[in-house]
């Protein structure tokens, strides 16, 4: 039996964490999935090694700014560990996996945001994932300033949230291009309405096209 791999993507504060939890509860309450494990995980930080990489990646370091290519390789290392040690075995065992960020984040943040070469990033993604793609990716589309305001209201600000507004706008542009390029895999969700309305959009898509 093989499981299902569902990814959530979007700019800061778009509501991924909130919606991942809501979707996990919704799936667990549905008798169609009573024999499946429904697991929530994330990148970076979905493994023991990944948790250490996550700290390195996100903590502010004013004394020595992280170089863009160093950042790219750390995300790739986190992904390779997570795919081989967690995602592949859990999918092989039939789990439904809900993952906070995956390969599209690297294209949006390191590619469109930092300006690193997109072809190289795609090759690195391929190497890190060994070809494992999501079955479905929800792109929670919210205005960048609304997302950042939500993230700020929630509490402390990490190294990437501190980047300037232009950087986050380029990231958003990256997601827009990715969604156009991969309409079969990436589904845009309007993430500006209330949490309940966003959850309803996600459940409707899953009922209609994914778990009919
Ligand atoms: N990154 C990268 O550069 N390259 C890569 O390859 C990968 C990642 C994999 C991970 O940080 C960082 O790594 C990320 C990209 C980079 N950049 N940053 N910073 P993270 O996982 O800690 O942070 P995040 O992914 O950006 O998520 P977030 O800021 O925690 O936001 P979120 O999970 O999307 O949102 P949330 O926590 O569900 O909601 C934020 C707040 O808004 C919270 O108070 C909610 O109650 C509220 N909220 C949620 N939904 C709504 C609605 N609908 N209305 C109003 N308020 C809402």
């Amino acid at each position: 039996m093989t499981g299902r791999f569902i990814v959530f993507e979007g700019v800061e504060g778009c509501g991924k964490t909130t919606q991942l939890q809501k979707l996990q509860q919704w799936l667990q309450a549905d008798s169609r999935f009573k024999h499946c494990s429904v697991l929530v995980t994330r990148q970076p930080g979905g493994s023991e090694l990944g948790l250490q990489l996550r700290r390195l990646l996100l903590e502010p370091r004013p004394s020595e700014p992280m170089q863009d290519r160093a950042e790219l390789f750390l995300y790739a290392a986190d992904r390779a560990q997570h795919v081989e040690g967690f995602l592949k075995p859990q999918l092989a065992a039939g789990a439904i996996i809900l993952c906070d960020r995956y390969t599209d984040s690297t294209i949006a943040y390191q590619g469109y945001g930092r300006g690193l070469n997109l072809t190289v990033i795609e090759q690195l993604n391929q190497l890190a994932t060994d070809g494992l793609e999501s079955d479905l990716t929800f792109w929670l589309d919210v205005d960048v300033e609304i997302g950042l305001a939500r993230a700020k209201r929630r509490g402390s600000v990490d190294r990437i949230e501190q980047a300037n507004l232009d950087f986050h706008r380029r990231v958003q542009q990256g997601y827009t291009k990715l969604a156009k390029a991969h309409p079969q895999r990436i589904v845009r969700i309007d993430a500006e309405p209330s949490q309940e309305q966003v959850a309803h959009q996600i459940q409707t898509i899953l009922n209609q096209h994914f778990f009919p």
Side-chain angles (χ1 to χ4, degrees):
M1 183 181 178
T2 52
R4 295 297 188 110
F5 183 28
I6 302 174
V7 170
F8 283 70
E9 291 278 1
V11 296
E12 274 63 46
C14 65
K16 294 177 283 81
T17 311
T18 307
Q19 294 303 326
L20 279 157
Q21 284 163 2
K22 283 189 182 295
L23 182 56
Q24 185 183 36
Q25 286 163 9
W26 183 74
L27 290 169
Q28 283 172 337
D30 188 321
S31 59
R32 286 177 294 177
F33 310 113
K34 64 179 177 214
H35 299 302
C36 299
S37 321
V38 183
L39 308 174
V40 168
T41 186
R42 68 178 171 185
Q43 290 189 1
S47 64
E48 265 181 48
L49 175 64
L51 276 176
Q52 295 180 38
L53 293 171
R54 182 181 172 87
R55 267 194 295 277
L56 289 175
L57 279 160
L58 298 185
E59 70 190 13
R61 50 181 70 250
S63 60
E64 188 197 37
M66 187 177 292
Q67 300 300 325
D68 294 349
R69 276 174 289 142
E71 182 187 66
L72 173 67
F73 287 127
L74 290 178
Y75 281 116
D78 167 75
R79 183 158 303 132
Q81 183 75 15
H82 193 217
V83 166
E84 228 38 66
F86 180 81
L87 296 177
K88 278 191 187 174
Q90 291 295 345
L91 288 168
I96 299 176
I97 298 185
L98 311 180
C99 188
D100 196 336
R101 297 194 180 281
Y102 195 55
T103 48
D104 294 329
S105 282
T106 318
I107 295 173
Y109 281 81
Q110 280 64 53
Y112 286 87
R114 305 276 190 229
L116 294 179
N117 184 290
L118 290 172
T119 308
V120 170
I121 293 176
E122 273 163 21
Q123 288 167 346
L124 199 55
N125 273 344
Q126 172 69 26
L127 188 66
T129 62
D130 195 26
L132 179 70
E133 284 192 353
S134 73
D135 294 305
L136 188 65
T137 295
F138 287 113
W139 166 38
L140 302 194
D141 184 13
V142 75
D143 179 82
V144 166
E145 289 180 65
I146 294 178
L148 286 172
R150 284 183 190 168
K152 274 194 192 122
R153 268 201 301 279
R154 187 196 42 200
S156 66
V157 174
D158 68 32
R159 191 177 61 83
I160 294 174
E161 282 166 357
Q162 284 174 348
N164 65 36
L165 199 55
D166 281 349
F167 170 82
H168 293 286
R169 291 211 172 104
R170 290 197 299 278
V171 171
Q172 179 75 322
Q173 192 195 5
Y175 280 120
T176 308
K177 291 201 172 162
L178 277 164
K180 277 203 184 112
H182 304 282
Q184 302 299 327
R185 177 174 64 79
I186 303 178
V187 176
R188 177 189 172 273
I189 299 289
D190 178 3
E192 290 197 12
S194 71
Q195 296 181 8
E196 287 63 37
Q197 286 169 305
V198 176
H200 181 70
Q201 292 178 61
I202 291 168
Q203 291 160 11
T204 303
I205 283 161
L206 288 175
N207 275 333
Q208 284 172 351
H209 303 293
F210 203 62
F211 298 125

